[in-house]
Amino acid sequence: MNAAVILIVGIAILACGYIFYGGWLSKQWGIDPSRPTPAHELEDGMDYCPAKAPVLMGHHFSSIAGAGPINGPIQAAVFGWVPVLLWVLIGGIFFGGVHDYGALFASVRNDGQSIGTVVETSISKKAKRLFLIFSYLTLILVVAAFASIVANTFKATYVDGVVDVAASAANATTAIISLLFIVLAIFFGFFVYRRNAPIGVSTVIGVVCIALIMWLGIKWHPIYLSYQTWMIICGLYILVASVTPVWILLQPRDYLSSFLLYAMMILAVIGVIGCHPTLDMPAFTGFKDTIAPTGSSLGYMFPALFVTIACGAISGFHSLVGSGTTAKQLNNEKDAQPIAYGGMLIECVLAIVSLCAVAYIWQDYKAGTTVTPTVVFATGLSQMLGKVFGSGAVSITYTLMVLAVSVFCLTSLDTATRLARYMFQEFWLKPGEKAGDATVTGARKVLCNPYVSTAITVVLGIALGMTGYAKIWPLFGAANQLLAGLGLLAVAAWLGKMGRNNKMFYFPMIFMILVTLTSLVFTIKSQITGIIAGGAGVAWCYIRAILAILLVILAIDLVVEGSKALAAQAKAKKAA
């Protein structure tokens, strides 16, 4: 099969899904453009701040994208291109799009509060507390992982205690460009939001400045620091960035960074269509991963395919972003469909592009010589672009691809920290309370303080990133997809309570919960095997087994609570 055909057909199917299914969802749920959003009703200049649709789209897309839609499809390619493509298309339109759109809409109708509040209003207070604990711990793991990814991307290489400048040049380039990018974003935010500069003119100037700082970073990159130093710097950065008003950094940085991703995606589409290679990988390899290019098999296609490909089809993290930061900045309810549903489908396009990239260098990937997803992505696409524009384009486009992924990891890191702060604060609040209310006193007032809650989050995340997050990271896939299933359950219960059609949530919700429970059972089984075998890593086997068991118990408890709420709604409806 030709890669260009797959990409074009995929984009066409996703476009139809957005127009027809996305439009139908808007009608079913009662999207009301005339209704004021929390960004206007509760505007505080810090978290609640209306944003123009293109700006908010930049923030939302940058936050949910990260490296997820690149890593997942590349790792799951061991099952063949057909299963990956089908899950991306079906999952994106009927699972992820519904999940993201529903979470944003439910949050907007609940004063911009998180999915935890939606859980409380539609299921129970107990369910809310369990959901917030689970979400917060998941976000701590995200902070640890993305801080580590950023630090690894920026760090210098040392030989006998001395910096190897030649080997560290690429990382130093990425680091200085990323730092200059933050400075650019602050200036952009100041002029757009405090001097009312026209967004069109400002965007053109901003994009030109992005090109200039990229050129400057390639020519001048004087900062060479260790992994540990960059981890500390990342911690200080998110400590400040996640408590500053969103107009200073979050909105402008994410808006500008989205142009890097758009540029990356446009170049990727040009590369795939211009090169139009025949896919070198099998359409289907079997129901079990026997290729294992990294040396570790993913196991059986069910549930591995649906846990591995998260952001490219459905991801629980998206519901936290949509109901955490995006809902507090939504200018008009009509913007919810393009931002949430449309943003998810754009991620699907990126996932298909990633599939084409790994297919182009399939032999190298299969042999285990090029397996790091970011490298696979950048190598495959830069080589395609080299065929289109000449060999000189390979190194330039490779640098752009790596830089774009790095910028989005930094964006997701900041957003995850801010979301974790919201979750931490909400846990201590009573129904209807806000963090700054006079009724919040004593220890609760201290814990709900944004600086205290952020500091606790940053210390936990950075400390985990410097120690053993990689040991429990394999559980993140299942935890993230479990979060998606629970998010679907929460919105379904809320829509039912509001008297709106929620039937479109039932199958995705049941499927995702079954997928994650199956994955966790397999994890528990493998950890028990490791415990029996003994050895140096047996302690981590115990830890992973205990965490997996706790996740299973949590999932079952929340499903029972949600099922009771849905059953009560059905009974009341029947009685009426």
Side-chain angles (χ1 to χ4, degrees), residues 103 106-107 110 113-123 323 490-491 494:
S107 177
N110 281 273
Q113 296 297 302
S114 76
I115 286 293
T117 298
V118 177
V119 169
E120 181 179 33
T121 58
S122 57
I123 301 178
S323 68
V491 180
W494 177 77

Side-chain angles (χ1 to χ4, degrees), residues 291-297:
I291 298 174
T294 61
S296 178
S297 173

Side-chain angles (χ1 to χ4, degrees), residues 43 89 111 140 142 157 186 263 292 320 364 388 427 436 449 478 548 553:
E43 184 173 0
L89 294 176
D111 293 334
I140 291 295
V142 171
T157 300
I186 293 173
L320 302 184
D364 289 338
V388 178
F427 181 82
N449 182 283
I553 295 172

